[in-house]
Amino acid sequence: MKKVLVTGANKGIGYEIAKQMSEKDFHILLGARDINRGKAASDEINSLGGKATFIQLDLSSEESIHKAVEEIKRDHRDLSLLINNAGIGGNMEHGPMETEMRALREAFEVNFFGTFELTRGLLPLIKENEGIILNVTMEMASLSILSQGILPNSFSYNTSKTANNAMLVGFARELKGTNAQIYAVTPGPTSTDLNDHHPLGKTTAEGAKIIVDYATDGKWHHGEMLMKDGFMPW
């Protein structure tokens, strides 16, 4: 049974990703900051006939990240898939002039720095196991799409997720010439607590399916940024 670590998996699209991966016979390492909610989500997947193990993981805490990495290296050395889903929105209504540096730092702490440190810590295992790192991205992280002025000018979220995409390019170069790969997938607009459950978005199950399909299609997507019907512009 292959193992996948899904971050931010106690609720929303992260939980749906974990649930659907479980249905594809993956052992879920369910990463979540809140211990009670994380254990409850893990227990629910197990009650549905899947196999899930809770991993306490707070991406805003370097200590928590290092502890989780050491636990996985000790107990789950066969990890072959990392899905970096966890993220925070910050104040989605604020443009740059309304954004305080504190809020910007908080968004970067999770969406960029925490994700970077976790990926850096687990990349040797993924490389050894010829596995996959999949970063969950969004159209709001695409400079090409943002420059059209159609999407909200949610400065802290947009910039931190754009930086995450730049990080993808760096790690892709690290894995060049190996049989491991890293790529990003957007589920498209999805109704979650990140956007106050916007009524025009996909359900979390629909959004998760796009990510799960790319994670398990067996194709080579290294260094790509993908949306439901193909490439997403950078």
Side-chain angles (χ1 to χ4, degrees):
M1 180 179 284
K2 292 183 177 181
K3 290 180 180 175
V4 53
L5 171 62
V6 184
T7 67
N10 64 292
K11 62 179 180 178
I13 196 168
Y15 175 76
E16 283 295 334
I17 292 170
K19 180 172 175 288
Q20 292 180 30
M21 292 297 295
S22 175
E23 292 167 356
K24 290 183 176 291
D25 204 31
F26 275 78
H27 177 175
I28 309 303
L29 305 184
L30 194 148
R33 177 179 58 184
D34 187 287
I35 294 175
N36 291 332
R37 291 178 180 177
K39 286 183 176 179
S42 177
D43 289 345
E44 186 169 349
I45 288 175
N46 288 325
S47 73
L48 294 172
K51 184 172 178 57
T53 301
F54 170 63
I55 303 286
Q56 202 279 332
L57 179 58
D58 180 355
L59 287 181
S60 66
S61 165
E62 190 173 354
E63 180 182 358
S64 175
I65 294 167
H66 291 171
K67 184 178 178 181
V69 168
E70 289 307 311
E71 180 180 351
I72 291 167
K73 285 181 175 179
R74 183 185 68 241
D75 300 333
H76 306 286
R77 287 202 59 83
D78 52 346
L79 178 75
S80 61
L81 177 57
L82 166 62
I83 298 181
N84 283 317
N85 164 75
I88 63 173
N91 193 322
M92 301 289 280
E93 298 178 355
H94 284 181
M97 293 303 294
E98 300 169 294
T99 299
E100 296 180 355
M101 186 172 290
R102 175 185 53 79
L104 189 61
R105 288 186 188 279
E106 287 175 355
F108 267 82
E109 195 64 50
V110 173
N111 299 343
F112 181 76
F113 291 114
T115 302
F116 161 76
E117 190 66 2
L118 178 67
T119 302
R120 190 170 73 99
L122 293 178
L123 186 138
L125 276 188
I126 298 295
K127 184 177 179 180
E128 177 183 327
N129 296 325
E130 300 183 347
I132 296 169
I133 299 169
L134 188 158
N135 290 347
V136 177
T137 188
M138 285 297 292
E139 285 81 349
M140 294 165 76
S142 164
L143 294 177
S144 297
I145 296 176
L146 269 182
S147 64
Q148 297 173 16
I150 300 170
L151 298 178
N153 192 16
S154 304
F155 189 70
S156 59
Y157 180 76
N158 296 355
T159 53
S160 60
K161 293 296 282 186
T162 300
N164 189 293
N165 287 344
M167 176 175 64
L168 164 70
V169 175
F171 278 122
R173 292 181 64 177
E174 291 281 344
L175 291 173
K176 186 177 181 180
T178 75
N179 291 321
Q181 56 179 321
I182 181 171
Y183 52 93
V185 177
T186 173
T190 304
S191 296
T192 68
D193 57 2
L194 198 70
N195 55 28
D196 293 325
H197 299 279
H198 196 284
L200 299 181
K202 300 179 182 70
T203 65
T204 52
E206 291 168 340
K209 184 177 185 303
I210 295 170
I211 294 163
V212 170
D213 285 349
Y214 273 116
T216 59
D217 67 7
K219 297 180 181 179
W220 187 253
H221 297 297
H222 184 57
E224 297 176 351
M225 194 161 67
L226 302 158
M227 54 203 312
K228 184 177 184 296
D229 297 318
F231 295 107
M232 184 168 88
W234 290 91

PDB file of all heavy atoms in Angstrom, residues 121-141:
ATOM      1  N   GLY A 121      12.585  18.929   3.736  1.00  0.00           N
ATOM      2  CA  GLY A 121      12.841  17.828   4.653  1.00  0.00           C
ATOM      3  C   GLY A 121      12.484  16.468   4.089  1.00  0.00           C
ATOM      4  O   GLY A 121      13.152  15.471   4.377  1.00  0.00           O
ATOM      5  N   LEU A 122      11.416  16.415   3.285  1.00  0.00           N
ATOM      6  CA  LEU A 122      10.932  15.128   2.780  1.00  0.00           C
ATOM      7  C   LEU A 122      11.412  14.805   1.367  1.00  0.00           C
ATOM      8  O   LEU A 122      11.245  13.680   0.901  1.00  0.00           O
ATOM      9  CB  LEU A 122       9.405  15.099   2.817  1.00  0.00           C
ATOM     10  CG  LEU A 122       8.789  15.113   4.218  1.00  0.00           C
ATOM     11  CD1 LEU A 122       7.267  15.139   4.128  1.00  0.00           C
ATOM     12  CD2 LEU A 122       9.252  13.901   5.028  1.00  0.00           C
ATOM     13  N   LEU A 123      11.997  15.781   0.687  1.00  0.00           N
ATOM     14  CA  LEU A 123      12.442  15.534  -0.684  1.00  0.00           C
ATOM     15  C   LEU A 123      13.396  14.345  -0.807  1.00  0.00           C
ATOM     16  O   LEU A 123      13.267  13.552  -1.758  1.00  0.00           O
ATOM     17  CB  LEU A 123      13.066  16.794  -1.278  1.00  0.00           C
ATOM     18  CG  LEU A 123      13.446  16.698  -2.756  1.00  0.00           C
ATOM     19  CD1 LEU A 123      13.076  17.973  -3.502  1.00  0.00           C
ATOM     20  CD2 LEU A 123      14.942  16.428  -2.928  1.00  0.00           C
ATOM     21  N   PRO A 124      14.354  14.141   0.114  1.00  0.00           N
ATOM     22  CA  PRO A 124      15.219  12.961  -0.028  1.00  0.00           C
ATOM     23  C   PRO A 124      14.452  11.639  -0.044  1.00  0.00           C
ATOM     24  O   PRO A 124      14.809  10.727  -0.800  1.00  0.00           O
ATOM     25  CB  PRO A 124      16.139  13.066   1.198  1.00  0.00           C
ATOM     26  CG  PRO A 124      16.188  14.525   1.502  1.00  0.00           C
ATOM     27  CD  PRO A 124      14.798  15.022   1.215  1.00  0.00           C
ATOM     28  N   LEU A 125      13.385  11.526   0.776  1.00  0.00           N
ATOM     29  CA  LEU A 125      12.570  10.308   0.766  1.00  0.00           C
ATOM     30  C   LEU A 125      11.832  10.154  -0.555  1.00  0.00           C
ATOM     31  O   LEU A 125      11.779   9.062  -1.132  1.00  0.00           O
ATOM     32  CB  LEU A 125      11.551  10.339   1.905  1.00  0.00           C
ATOM     33  CG  LEU A 125      11.975   9.875   3.298  1.00  0.00           C
ATOM     34  CD1 LEU A 125      10.754   9.807   4.203  1.00  0.00           C
ATOM     35  CD2 LEU A 125      12.677   8.538   3.241  1.00  0.00           C
ATOM     36  N   ILE A 126      11.219  11.247  -1.028  1.00  0.00           N
ATOM     37  CA  ILE A 126      10.486  11.206  -2.290  1.00  0.00           C
ATOM     38  C   ILE A 126      11.434  10.839  -3.430  1.00  0.00           C
ATOM     39  O   ILE A 126      11.098  10.034  -4.311  1.00  0.00           O
ATOM     40  CB  ILE A 126       9.806  12.564  -2.568  1.00  0.00           C
ATOM     41  CG1 ILE A 126       8.785  12.901  -1.472  1.00  0.00           C
ATOM     42  CG2 ILE A 126       9.149  12.564  -3.944  1.00  0.00           C
ATOM     43  CD1 ILE A 126       7.604  11.963  -1.404  1.00  0.00           C
ATOM     44  N   LYS A 127      12.614  11.398  -3.411  1.00  0.00           N
ATOM     45  CA  LYS A 127      13.617  11.106  -4.437  1.00  0.00           C
ATOM     46  C   LYS A 127      14.023   9.643  -4.380  1.00  0.00           C
ATOM     47  O   LYS A 127      14.092   8.958  -5.412  1.00  0.00           O
ATOM     48  CB  LYS A 127      14.827  12.016  -4.236  1.00  0.00           C
ATOM     49  CG  LYS A 127      15.912  11.886  -5.288  1.00  0.00           C
ATOM     50  CD  LYS A 127      17.017  12.901  -5.010  1.00  0.00           C
ATOM     51  CE  LYS A 127      18.145  12.779  -6.027  1.00  0.00           C
ATOM     52  NZ  LYS A 127      19.222  13.777  -5.742  1.00  0.00           N
ATOM     53  N   GLU A 128      14.297   9.152  -3.188  1.00  0.00           N
ATOM     54  CA  GLU A 128      14.702   7.751  -2.997  1.00  0.00           C
ATOM     55  C   GLU A 128      13.621   6.792  -3.467  1.00  0.00           C
ATOM     56  O   GLU A 128      13.917   5.741  -4.047  1.00  0.00           O
ATOM     57  CB  GLU A 128      15.009   7.526  -1.514  1.00  0.00           C
ATOM     58  CG  GLU A 128      15.377   6.114  -1.132  1.00  0.00           C
ATOM     59  CD  GLU A 128      15.587   5.963   0.364  1.00  0.00           C
ATOM     60  OE1 GLU A 128      16.052   6.938   1.001  1.00  0.00           O
ATOM     61  OE2 GLU A 128      15.276   4.887   0.899  1.00  0.00           O
ATOM     62  N   ASN A 129      12.361   7.156  -3.227  1.00  0.00           N
ATOM     63  CA  ASN A 129      11.237   6.282  -3.573  1.00  0.00           C
ATOM     64  C   ASN A 129      10.650   6.577  -4.944  1.00  0.00           C
ATOM     65  O   ASN A 129       9.601   6.028  -5.295  1.00  0.00           O
ATOM     66  CB  ASN A 129      10.155   6.390  -2.499  1.00  0.00           C
ATOM     67  CG  ASN A 129      10.637   5.889  -1.143  1.00  0.00           C
ATOM     68  OD1 ASN A 129      11.404   4.945  -1.073  1.00  0.00           O
ATOM     69  ND2 ASN A 129      10.184   6.535  -0.070  1.00  0.00           N
ATOM     70  N   GLU A 130      11.325   7.454  -5.705  1.00  0.00           N
ATOM     71  CA  GLU A 130      10.894   7.812  -7.060  1.00  0.00           C
ATOM     72  C   GLU A 130       9.431   8.250  -7.067  1.00  0.00           C
ATOM     73  O   GLU A 130       8.617   7.806  -7.884  1.00  0.00           O
ATOM     74  CB  GLU A 130      11.133   6.644  -8.028  1.00  0.00           C
ATOM     75  CG  GLU A 130      12.598   6.246  -8.111  1.00  0.00           C
ATOM     76  CD  GLU A 130      12.878   5.143  -9.117  1.00  0.00           C
ATOM     77  OE1 GLU A 130      11.913   4.502  -9.597  1.00  0.00           O
ATOM     78  OE2 GLU A 130      14.063   4.910  -9.419  1.00  0.00           O
ATOM     79  N   GLY A 131       9.122   9.146  -6.128  1.00  0.00           N
ATOM     80  CA  GLY A 131       7.750   9.560  -5.922  1.00  0.00           C
ATOM     81  C   GLY A 131       7.411  10.922  -6.486  1.00  0.00           C
ATOM     82  O   GLY A 131       8.069  11.431  -7.400  1.00  0.00           O
ATOM     83  N   ILE A 132       6.381  11.529  -5.912  1.00  0.00           N
ATOM     84  CA  ILE A 132       5.791  12.764  -6.429  1.00  0.00           C
ATOM     85  C   ILE A 132       5.583  13.762  -5.295  1.00  0.00           C
ATOM     86  O   ILE A 132       5.137  13.394  -4.201  1.00  0.00           O
ATOM     87  CB  ILE A 132       4.433  12.479  -7.100  1.00  0.00           C
ATOM     88  CG1 ILE A 132       4.596  11.589  -8.331  1.00  0.00           C
ATOM     89  CG2 ILE A 132       3.714  13.781  -7.467  1.00  0.00           C
ATOM     90  CD1 ILE A 132       3.284  11.048  -8.875  1.00  0.00           C
ATOM     91  N   ILE A 133       5.892  15.015  -5.563  1.00  0.00           N
ATOM     92  CA  ILE A 133       5.474  16.127  -4.716  1.00  0.00           C
ATOM     93  C   ILE A 133       4.480  16.945  -5.531  1.00  0.00           C
ATOM     94  O   ILE A 133       4.799  17.397  -6.632  1.00  0.00           O
ATOM     95  CB  ILE A 133       6.662  17.005  -4.300  1.00  0.00           C
ATOM     96  CG1 ILE A 133       7.681  16.186  -3.498  1.00  0.00           C
ATOM     97  CG2 ILE A 133       6.180  18.210  -3.486  1.00  0.00           C
ATOM     98  CD1 ILE A 133       9.001  16.890  -3.282  1.00  0.00           C
ATOM     99  N   LEU A 134       3.278  17.102  -5.013  1.00  0.00           N
ATOM    100  CA  LEU A 134       2.232  17.855  -5.711  1.00  0.00           C
ATOM    101  C   LEU A 134       1.844  19.046  -4.842  1.00  0.00           C
ATOM    102  O   LEU A 134       1.381  18.874  -3.713  1.00  0.00           O
ATOM    103  CB  LEU A 134       1.022  16.964  -5.986  1.00  0.00           C
ATOM    104  CG  LEU A 134      -0.089  17.536  -6.881  1.00  0.00           C
ATOM    105  CD1 LEU A 134      -0.917  16.410  -7.499  1.00  0.00           C
ATOM    106  CD2 LEU A 134      -1.022  18.482  -6.123  1.00  0.00           C
ATOM    107  N   ASN A 135       2.051  20.231  -5.357  1.00  0.00           N
ATOM    108  CA  ASN A 135       1.656  21.455  -4.660  1.00  0.00           C
ATOM    109  C   ASN A 135       0.286  21.905  -5.155  1.00  0.00           C
ATOM    110  O   ASN A 135       0.077  22.034  -6.366  1.00  0.00           O
ATOM    111  CB  ASN A 135       2.668  22.569  -4.910  1.00  0.00           C
ATOM    112  CG  ASN A 135       3.993  22.321  -4.232  1.00  0.00           C
ATOM    113  OD1 ASN A 135       4.115  21.440  -3.379  1.00  0.00           O
ATOM    114  ND2 ASN A 135       5.006  23.084  -4.601  1.00  0.00           N
ATOM    115  N   VAL A 136      -0.618  22.142  -4.224  1.00  0.00           N
ATOM    116  CA  VAL A 136      -1.932  22.675  -4.594  1.00  0.00           C
ATOM    117  C   VAL A 136      -1.777  24.179  -4.799  1.00  0.00           C
ATOM    118  O   VAL A 136      -1.404  24.908  -3.886  1.00  0.00           O
ATOM    119  CB  VAL A 136      -2.981  22.375  -3.522  1.00  0.00           C
ATOM    120  CG1 VAL A 136      -4.324  23.010  -3.906  1.00  0.00           C
ATOM    121  CG2 VAL A 136      -3.147  20.861  -3.343  1.00  0.00           C
ATOM    122  N   THR A 137      -2.041  24.639  -6.008  1.00  0.00           N
ATOM    123  CA  THR A 137      -1.925  26.050  -6.335  1.00  0.00           C
ATOM    124  C   THR A 137      -3.299  26.601  -6.690  1.00  0.00           C
ATOM    125  O   THR A 137      -4.310  25.912  -6.569  1.00  0.00           O
ATOM    126  CB  THR A 137      -0.905  26.262  -7.479  1.00  0.00           C
ATOM    127  OG1 THR A 137      -0.671  27.666  -7.658  1.00  0.00           O
ATOM    128  CG2 THR A 137      -1.388  25.670  -8.794  1.00  0.00           C
ATOM    129  N   MET A 138      -3.346  27.856  -7.100  1.00  0.00           N
ATOM    130  CA  MET A 138      -4.606  28.480  -7.509  1.00  0.00           C
ATOM    131  C   MET A 138      -4.348  29.445  -8.647  1.00  0.00           C
ATOM    132  O   MET A 138      -3.218  29.913  -8.835  1.00  0.00           O
ATOM    133  CB  MET A 138      -5.234  29.244  -6.332  1.00  0.00           C
ATOM    134  CG  MET A 138      -5.888  28.359  -5.273  1.00  0.00           C
ATOM    135  SD  MET A 138      -7.292  27.397  -5.892  1.00  0.00           S
ATOM    136  CE  MET A 138      -8.475  28.684  -6.223  1.00  0.00           C
ATOM    137  N   GLU A 139      -5.388  29.763  -9.392  1.00  0.00           N
ATOM    138  CA  GLU A 139      -5.262  30.746 -10.464  1.00  0.00           C
ATOM    139  C   GLU A 139      -4.762  32.091  -9.931  1.00  0.00           C
ATOM    140  O   GLU A 139      -4.099  32.839 -10.644  1.00  0.00           O
ATOM    141  CB  GLU A 139      -6.611  30.934 -11.167  1.00  0.00           C
ATOM    142  CG  GLU A 139      -7.013  29.804 -12.089  1.00  0.00           C
ATOM    143  CD  GLU A 139      -7.621  28.600 -11.389  1.00  0.00           C
ATOM    144  OE1 GLU A 139      -7.562  28.520 -10.137  1.00  0.00           O
ATOM    145  OE2 GLU A 139      -8.137  27.718 -12.066  1.00  0.00           O
ATOM    146  N   MET A 140      -5.057  32.395  -8.678  1.00  0.00           N
ATOM    147  CA  MET A 140      -4.629  33.656  -8.073  1.00  0.00           C
ATOM    148  C   MET A 140      -3.118  33.705  -7.876  1.00  0.00           C
ATOM    149  O   MET A 140      -2.567  34.748  -7.534  1.00  0.00           O
ATOM    150  CB  MET A 140      -5.352  33.866  -6.742  1.00  0.00           C
ATOM    151  CG  MET A 140      -6.856  34.062  -6.915  1.00  0.00           C
ATOM    152  SD  MET A 140      -7.784  33.894  -5.381  1.00  0.00           S
ATOM    153  CE  MET A 140      -7.411  35.458  -4.606  1.00  0.00           C
ATOM    154  N   ALA A 141      -2.435  32.578  -8.082  1.00  0.00           N
ATOM    155  CA  ALA A 141      -0.977  32.534  -7.998  1.00  0.00           C
ATOM    156  C   ALA A 141      -0.316  32.747  -9.350  1.00  0.00           C
ATOM    157  O   ALA A 141       0.902  32.859  -9.437  1.00  0.00           O
ATOM    158  CB  ALA A 141      -0.528  31.196  -7.412  1.00  0.00           C
TER     159      ALA A 141
END
